[in-house]
Each structure stands twice: as C-alpha cells, then as structure tokens.
Amino acid sequence: MYKFPVLEIFGPTIQGEGMVVGRKTMFVRTAGCDYSCSWCDSAFTWDGSSKEDIKQLTADEILCRLKKDGGKSFDYVTISGGNPALFSHLDELINLLHSENVKVALETQGSRWQEWFLKIDDLTLSPKPPSSQMITNWKILDEIIGHLSSNNRLQYTSLKIVIFTNEDLTYAKKIHERFPHIPLYLQVGNEDLDEDNEERLMKKLLEKYKWLVNEVMVSSTLNSVHVLPQLHTLLWGNRRGV
C-alpha cells in the first residue's frame, strides 16, 4: 500500500466552508501543495514550518487513526491540505472509507486532475482569486470540469471562491459566467491569521461578511450564489485541529 504524508487527523467537528458547511466530519489533512497563496490559512502544509509533524501513513493506518479519534461518532471524512490532488493513489483511502460506509469530501484548487475525483461524494473546486497572487490555469480547470461533466459528476461538485477584495469579486463573476451550471459558494477570507483574540477576530470577520453580502445583493451577475462566513473561524478563531 502507498503511504501518504499526513499532517493532521482530527474531529469529529463541523465543516466550516463550502457546499457542506455545518456537516459533521472528521478531517485528514495532507502535506504539500503546488500553490503558495499569499493568504493561505494552512501554509504550514507546504512552507516547511511543520515538516517534523508529517507522518507517512497508509490508508489502513489513516482509517485506524480516524476510528481511534472518532470512534463511532462519524460517517463523513473531509480530505484537506495543502492540495490532496497531488496524490495519484489516494483512491486507496477513498475506497477503504467507502467500504466502511463513510462518505468522502475533498477540496482542491482545480490545478490537477485525478481519476479518483469521480469517486468523491462532495467535491469542491476552489480556484484562487487575484488576492492569492496565484494564476488560474483556465485550460486545466476547463478540462477538470469537462471530465466531471462527461462522467455525470457535476451534481456532486461545487465551486468556491474565497473573497478578500473587489478584484476577487470580479474574478468570482468570471467564474460564475464561465460555469453557470455549477453551484458557486462565495466565502469571506481571513486576513488576520495571527490574531489570537477570538472575539476581536469574530467581529472583523462578521464585518467583512456583511460587506460581502451587501456587494453580492446589488450584483446582477451573482444571483444564484451562496454567500458564507468561514464558520469554523467564527467559532474557534485561528486554532488548529478543530
């Protein structure tokens, strides 16, 4: 069996983002990413700051950890990163979880295609807007969505854009116009990753959320969209493993 670089396994908790926000879940966070977003809230997965915490685990070992930590209190696992789409054999874990009647969610920026995307129960594609300082490869994103469409998987797929600026909103409109048939979730970004006062952070995030809601309400382009806060940050601030 293949081994995967795992930084964190935690839960049960709730999903704080995207199409299944509020869903009770366990988390498996892999290390490594092909992006380096300027505002990344999990830069420790790729910047080397937590390399000593990486454990090389097989799918069986990951499942054992999930059962040890979650007991019988979960039926849903979110695979996060970094970018889990870096690993071509991740279907070993997905297949194993499905054999245990556990559903699997995954988020990726849409920079790489993997055949096992077709096995994901809830797939979030989260292209990165201009504030990230990353550049979207539209050809690859089109190909990924084309593969999902031709395999009748769009009903299990959504798009999510993290919004920091008006320029990001313009990017979100471009995404929505390019892929109008895919549900789009807009989410407030967290700029204060070093803030340890949870009440102060919550106030800032709610103010930013109100701004985003107001901007979307007056847009004729962003009609059929979902506007979300970053729920886990409102609850637990910048703490990890919750």
Side-chain angles (χ1 to χ4, degrees):
M1 298 182 72
Y2 287 88
K3 292 191 174 185
F4 307 99
V6 176
L7 263 170
E8 296 180 315
I9 296 175
F10 62 93
T13 183
I14 58 165
Q15 173 58 257
E17 305 182 355
M19 67 190 295
V20 289
V21 65
R23 178 62 157 94
K24 183 180 179 181
T25 186
M26 295 289 290
F27 272 89
V28 176
R29 187 185 298 281
T30 60
C33 193
D34 50 334
Y35 275 22
S36 54
C37 296
S38 61
W39 38 249
C40 181
D41 61 1
S42 52
F44 60 90
T45 62
W46 50 264
D47 67 5
S49 60
S50 295
K51 60 183 178 181
E52 295 83 5
D53 299 327
I54 298 172
K55 294 179 173 60
Q56 298 291 333
L57 301 178
T58 65
D60 281 338
E61 289 169 333
I62 293 171
L63 179 61
C64 285
R65 273 286 310 276
L66 287 166
K67 288 183 173 180
K68 179 182 176 182
D69 294 350
K72 295 182 179 180
S73 298
F74 73 98
D75 64 358
Y76 196 86
V77 169
T78 300
I79 304 174
S80 185
N83 185 10
L86 296 176
F87 308 110
S88 59
H89 299 283
L90 199 60
D91 54 338
E92 288 188 358
L93 176 59
I94 298 163
N95 292 339
L96 184 60
L97 291 170
H98 283 165
S99 74
E100 297 280 328
N101 295 315
V102 174
K103 289 187 175 182
V104 181
L106 182 135
E107 179 176 321
T108 178
Q109 60 260 40
S111 60
R112 297 195 181 200
W113 165 257
Q114 296 289 358
E115 286 296 322
W116 50 257
F117 281 9
L118 303 177
K119 300 180 179 182
I120 297 295
D121 297 290
D122 294 304
L123 176 63
T124 298
L125 300 176
S126 184
K128 304 310 177 188
S131 63
S132 71
Q133 299 180 19
M134 299 293 103
I135 298 175
T136 300
N137 187 320
W138 295 101
K139 181 176 182 294
I140 291 177
L141 186 58
D142 285 343
E143 289 174 352
I144 290 172
I145 290 176
H147 288 315
L148 293 168
S149 178
S150 62
N151 286 277
N152 299 312
R153 297 299 298 179
L154 289 186
Q155 61 182 311
Y156 308 103
T157 304
S158 70
L159 289 158
K160 187 194 82 176
I161 310 297
V162 180
I163 304 296
F164 287 85
T165 66
N166 281 301
E167 192 178 7
D168 291 348
L169 264 176
T170 299
Y171 176 88
K173 292 174 184 177
K174 182 177 180 180
I175 288 283
H176 197 39
E177 289 173 332
R178 194 180 188 99
F179 309 110
H181 52 301
I182 302 177
L184 175 63
Y185 293 78
L186 304 183
Q187 183 175 298
V188 172
N190 176 16
E191 297 174 305
D192 300 291
L193 300 177
D194 295 322
E195 177 62 76
D196 57 6
N197 185 307
E198 293 179 7
E199 290 188 9
R200 188 158 55 226
L201 178 60
M202 180 174 64
K203 182 179 179 180
K204 290 180 181 179
L205 289 173
L206 287 175
E207 288 174 353
K208 195 66 177 287
Y209 181 50
K210 185 184 293 185
W211 165 79
L212 179 57
V213 168
N214 288 336
E215 290 295 319
V216 172
M217 292 309 103
V218 297
S219 170
S220 60
T221 304
L222 298 170
N223 284 339
S224 56
V225 302
H226 307 257
V227 188
L228 300 178
Q230 198 177 51
L231 187 57
H232 61 284
T233 309
L234 291 178
L235 290 173
W236 297 297
N238 287 314
R239 280 184 278 171
R240 284 173 52 180
V242 290

